[in-house]
Amino acid sequence: MTIDENLLVLLLALLLDRIVGDPQWLWSRVPHPVAIFGAAISYADQQLNPSSLTGSQRRMNGVAAILALLLLAGAAGFVFDRFFALFGLAGILLETGLVAIFLAQKSLADHVAAVAVALRDEGLAGGRSAVSRVVGRDPETLDEPAVCRAAIESLAENFSDGVVAPALCYAVFGLPGLLVYKMLNTADSMIGHRSEKYIDFGWAAARLDDIANWPAARLSILLIAAGAWIRRGTSASREAVRVAMRDGGLHRSPNSGRPEAAMAGALNVQLAGPRVYGGVLVAEPMINNPGRDMATAADIEDGVSVFYASCMVLTGIIFGLFLCFL
């Protein structure tokens, strides 16, 4: 596809994902592409990551596995791109549908907003259950402000790697780039953590994912600041940038702290801090420590409002670029 066609597809995909989201009626009948990626990653894990190997052997196998998986994803993207190109306008619409599948605007906002609803309707137990669907930390360790912080953190982090990064990869590299990114991001979530089993085998996936998400995490700061300006005014926008610049590096991830700090500044709340994953305490400093220490369900809703405004700004930028390349 030409660059103007790529931008048109991305623009339509962002609009489609914003309106339709992730249709469960479809994925209850056919496997989601990310589930297919996950099955491939699990197969590589089973075949190449036995406990009998040394750490260096597992690391080498992990490098080989992720490179092979990314090559397959890129090849699949190229084949789909060439196939869709045969059908003109119909091909553009088919590619739009495929790209929309890999974006996460409505589905992410719906899952995060459900945490606020559950807290109000069912109390802390309902909030813990709802937030367990969007974060990996142990929900039983969370009080109500911690549930709210976890939901807002997930919203901000996934804005970067679930919306901005795939949109950026598609805009620059087309369908092959998008599929490579989603394979890598899925691998990072499955094998990129620092457990005994994956600290070596998942090393390459985690490092490559850090590199792939670096541009999107920084761009997300500006988009969240723009969304904050639309929904909460100039002061919130300025705070989003200021806190992101000051506290974005406090997170253990080189990328996740950037959008989280921007959202913390926009909402004037503390985020991150000590939390428990799989029974293990992760001790990190608070992001935006001068902010309010009691996040509420209303803050989740305000975060979703800023998130949607930020998505709108991203869509507007793509529309502007499309007009420039016409």
Coordinates of all heavy atoms in Angstrom, one line a residue, residues 120-160:
R120 N -18.4 0.8 43.1 CA -19.7 1.5 43.5 C -20.8 0.5 43.8 O -21.5 0.6 44.8 CB -20.1 2.5 42.5 CG -19.2 3.7 42.4 CD -19.9 4.9 41.8 NE -19.1 6.1 41.8 CZ -18.4 6.6 40.8 NH1 -18.4 6.0 39.7 NH2 -17.7 7.7 41.0
D121 N -20.9 -0.5 43.0 CA -22.1 -1.4 43.1 C -21.8 -2.6 44.0 O -22.7 -3.1 44.7 CB -22.4 -2.0 41.7 CG -23.0 -1.0 40.8 OD1 -23.2 0.2 41.2 OD2 -23.1 -1.3 39.6
E122 N -20.6 -3.1 44.1 CA -20.3 -4.3 44.9 C -19.2 -4.1 45.9 O -18.9 -5.1 46.6 CB -19.8 -5.4 43.9 CG -20.8 -5.7 42.8 CD -20.2 -6.6 41.7 OE1 -19.4 -7.5 42.0 OE2 -20.4 -6.3 40.5
G123 N -18.7 -2.9 46.1 CA -17.7 -2.7 47.1 C -16.3 -3.2 46.7 O -16.0 -3.5 45.6
L124 N -15.5 -3.3 47.8 CA -14.1 -3.7 47.5 C -13.9 -5.0 46.9 O -13.1 -5.2 46.0 CB -13.3 -3.7 48.9 CG -11.8 -4.0 48.8 CD1 -11.1 -3.1 47.9 CD2 -11.2 -4.0 50.2
A125 N -14.7 -6.0 47.3 CA -14.6 -7.3 46.6 C -14.9 -7.3 45.1 O -14.2 -7.9 44.3 CB -15.6 -8.3 47.3
G126 N -15.9 -6.5 44.7 CA -16.2 -6.4 43.3 C -15.1 -5.6 42.6 O -14.8 -6.0 41.5
G127 N -14.6 -4.6 43.2 CA -13.5 -3.9 42.6 C -12.2 -4.7 42.4 O -11.6 -4.7 41.4
R128 N -11.9 -5.5 43.4 CA -10.8 -6.4 43.3 C -11.0 -7.4 42.2 O -10.1 -7.7 41.4 CB -10.6 -7.2 44.6 CG -9.9 -6.4 45.7 CD -9.9 -7.1 47.0 NE -9.2 -6.5 48.1 CZ -9.1 -6.9 49.3 NH1 -9.9 -7.9 49.7 NH2 -8.4 -6.2 50.2
S129 N -12.2 -8.0 42.0 CA -12.5 -8.9 41.0 C -12.3 -8.3 39.6 O -11.8 -8.8 38.7 CB -13.9 -9.5 41.2 OG -14.2 -10.4 40.1
A130 N -12.9 -7.1 39.5 CA -12.8 -6.4 38.2 C -11.4 -6.0 37.8 O -11.0 -6.1 36.7 CB -13.7 -5.1 38.2
V131 N -10.6 -5.5 38.8 CA -9.3 -5.1 38.5 C -8.3 -6.2 38.1 O -7.3 -6.1 37.4 CB -8.7 -4.2 39.6 CG1 -8.1 -5.0 40.7 CG2 -7.7 -3.2 39.0
S132 N -8.7 -7.4 38.7 CA -7.8 -8.6 38.4 C -7.9 -9.0 36.9 O -7.0 -9.7 36.4 CB -8.3 -9.8 39.2 OG -9.6 -10.3 38.8
R133 N -8.8 -8.4 36.1 CA -8.9 -8.7 34.7 C -8.0 -7.8 33.9 O -7.8 -8.0 32.7 CB -10.4 -8.5 34.2 CG -11.4 -9.4 35.0 CD -12.8 -9.3 34.4 NE -13.7 -10.1 35.2 CZ -14.6 -9.6 36.1 NH1 -14.5 -8.3 36.3 NH2 -15.4 -10.4 36.7
V134 N -7.5 -6.7 34.5 CA -6.6 -5.8 33.8 C -5.2 -5.7 34.3 O -4.4 -5.0 33.7 CB -7.3 -4.4 33.7 CG1 -8.6 -4.5 32.9 CG2 -7.5 -3.8 35.1
V135 N -4.9 -6.2 35.5 CA -3.6 -6.1 36.1 C -3.1 -7.5 36.6 O -4.0 -8.4 36.8 CB -3.5 -5.1 37.2 CG1 -3.8 -3.7 36.7 CG2 -4.4 -5.5 38.4
G136 N -1.8 -7.7 36.7 CA -1.3 -9.0 37.2 C -1.0 -9.0 38.6 O -0.6 -10.1 39.1
R137 N -1.1 -7.9 39.4 CA -0.8 -8.0 40.8 C -1.9 -8.7 41.6 O -3.0 -8.9 41.1 CB -0.6 -6.5 41.3 CG -1.9 -5.7 41.4 CD -1.6 -4.2 41.5 NE -0.9 -3.7 40.3 CZ -0.6 -2.5 40.1 NH1 -0.8 -1.6 41.0 NH2 0.1 -2.1 39.0
D138 N -1.5 -9.1 42.8 CA -2.4 -9.9 43.6 C -3.6 -9.1 44.1 O -3.4 -8.1 44.9 CB -1.7 -10.5 44.8 CG -0.5 -11.5 44.4 OD1 -0.5 -11.9 43.2 OD2 0.3 -11.8 45.3
P139 N -4.8 -9.3 43.7 CA -5.9 -8.4 44.0 C -6.3 -8.4 45.5 O -6.7 -7.4 46.0 CB -7.1 -8.9 43.2 CG -6.7 -10.3 42.9 CD -5.2 -10.4 42.8
E140 N -6.0 -9.5 46.2 CA -6.4 -9.6 47.6 C -5.6 -8.7 48.5 O -5.9 -8.4 49.6 CB -6.4 -11.0 48.1 CG -5.0 -11.7 48.2 CD -4.6 -12.3 46.8 OE1 -5.3 -12.1 45.9 OE2 -3.6 -13.0 46.8
T141 N -4.4 -8.2 48.0 CA -3.6 -7.3 48.7 C -4.0 -5.8 48.6 O -3.4 -5.0 49.2 CB -2.1 -7.5 48.3 OG1 -2.0 -7.0 46.9 CG2 -1.6 -8.9 48.4
L142 N -5.0 -5.6 47.8 CA -5.3 -4.2 47.4 C -6.5 -3.6 48.2 O -7.5 -4.3 48.4 CB -5.7 -4.1 45.9 CG -4.7 -4.6 44.9 CD1 -5.2 -4.5 43.5 CD2 -3.4 -3.8 45.0
D143 N -6.3 -2.5 48.8 CA -7.4 -1.8 49.4 C -8.1 -0.9 48.3 O -7.6 -1.0 47.1 CB -7.0 -0.9 50.6 CG -5.9 0.2 50.2 OD1 -5.7 0.4 49.0 OD2 -5.3 0.7 51.2
E144 N -9.1 -0.2 48.6 CA -9.8 0.5 47.6 C -9.0 1.5 46.8 O -9.0 1.6 45.6 CB -11.1 1.2 48.1 CG -12.0 1.8 47.1 CD -13.3 2.2 47.5 OE1 -13.9 1.5 48.4 OE2 -13.9 3.2 47.0
P145 N -8.2 2.4 47.5 CA -7.3 3.3 46.7 C -6.3 2.6 45.8 O -6.0 3.0 44.7 CB -6.6 4.1 47.8 CG -7.5 4.1 48.9 CD -8.1 2.7 48.9
A146 N -5.8 1.4 46.3 CA -4.9 0.6 45.5 C -5.5 0.0 44.3 O -4.9 -0.1 43.2 CB -4.2 -0.4 46.4
V147 N -6.8 -0.4 44.4 CA -7.5 -0.9 43.3 C -7.7 0.2 42.2 O -7.5 0.0 41.0 CB -8.9 -1.4 43.7 CG1 -9.8 -1.6 42.5 CG2 -8.8 -2.7 44.5
C148 N -8.0 1.4 42.7 CA -8.2 2.5 41.8 C -6.8 2.9 41.1 O -6.8 3.1 39.9 CB -8.7 3.7 42.5 SG -10.4 3.5 43.2
R149 N -5.8 2.9 41.9 CA -4.4 3.2 41.3 C -4.1 2.1 40.2 O -3.6 2.5 39.2 CB -3.4 3.2 42.4 CG -3.4 4.4 43.3 CD -2.1 4.6 44.0 NE -1.7 3.4 44.8 CZ -2.1 3.2 46.1 NH1 -2.9 4.1 46.7 NH2 -1.7 2.1 46.7
A150 N -4.3 0.9 40.5 CA -4.0 -0.2 39.6 C -4.8 -0.1 38.3 O -4.2 -0.2 37.2 CB -4.3 -1.6 40.2
A151 N -6.0 0.3 38.4 CA -6.8 0.5 37.2 C -6.3 1.7 36.3 O -6.2 1.5 35.1 CB -8.3 0.7 37.5
I152 N -6.0 2.8 37.0 CA -5.5 3.9 36.3 C -4.1 3.6 35.6 O -3.8 4.0 34.5 CB -5.4 5.1 37.2 CG1 -6.8 5.5 37.7 CG2 -4.7 6.3 36.5 CD1 -6.8 6.5 38.8
E153 N -3.3 2.9 36.4 CA -1.9 2.6 35.8 C -2.1 1.7 34.6 O -1.4 1.9 33.6 CB -1.1 1.8 36.9 CG -0.7 2.7 38.0 CD -0.2 1.8 39.2 OE1 0.2 0.7 39.0 OE2 -0.3 2.3 40.4
S154 N -3.0 0.7 34.7 CA -3.2 -0.2 33.5 C -3.7 0.6 32.3 O -3.3 0.4 31.2 CB -4.2 -1.3 33.9 OG -4.4 -2.1 32.8
L155 N -4.6 1.6 32.6 CA -5.2 2.4 31.5 C -4.1 3.2 30.8 O -4.0 3.2 29.6 CB -6.2 3.4 32.1 CG -6.9 4.4 31.1 CD1 -7.8 3.6 30.2 CD2 -7.6 5.4 31.9
A156 N -3.2 3.8 31.6 CA -2.1 4.6 31.0 C -1.1 3.8 30.3 O -0.7 4.1 29.2 CB -1.4 5.4 32.2
E157 N -0.6 2.7 30.9 CA 0.4 1.9 30.3 C -0.1 1.3 29.0 O 0.6 1.2 28.0 CB 0.8 0.8 31.3 CG 1.8 -0.2 30.7 CD 2.2 -1.3 31.6 OE1 1.7 -1.4 32.8 OE2 2.9 -2.3 31.2
N158 N -1.4 0.8 29.0 CA -1.9 0.1 27.9 C -2.3 1.1 26.8 O -2.5 0.7 25.6 CB -3.1 -0.8 28.2 CG -2.5 -2.1 28.9 OD1 -1.9 -2.9 28.3 ND2 -2.8 -2.2 30.2
F159 N -2.5 2.4 27.1 CA -2.7 3.4 26.1 C -1.4 3.4 25.2 O -1.5 3.5 24.0 CB -2.9 4.8 26.7 CG -2.9 5.9 25.7 CD1 -3.8 5.9 24.7 CD2 -2.0 6.9 25.8 CE1 -3.8 7.0 23.8 CE2 -2.0 8.0 24.9 CZ -2.9 8.0 23.9
S160 N -0.3 3.3 25.9 CA 1.0 3.4 25.1 C 1.2 2.1 24.3 O 1.4 2.2 23.1 CB 2.2 3.5 26.1 OG 3.4 3.5 25.4

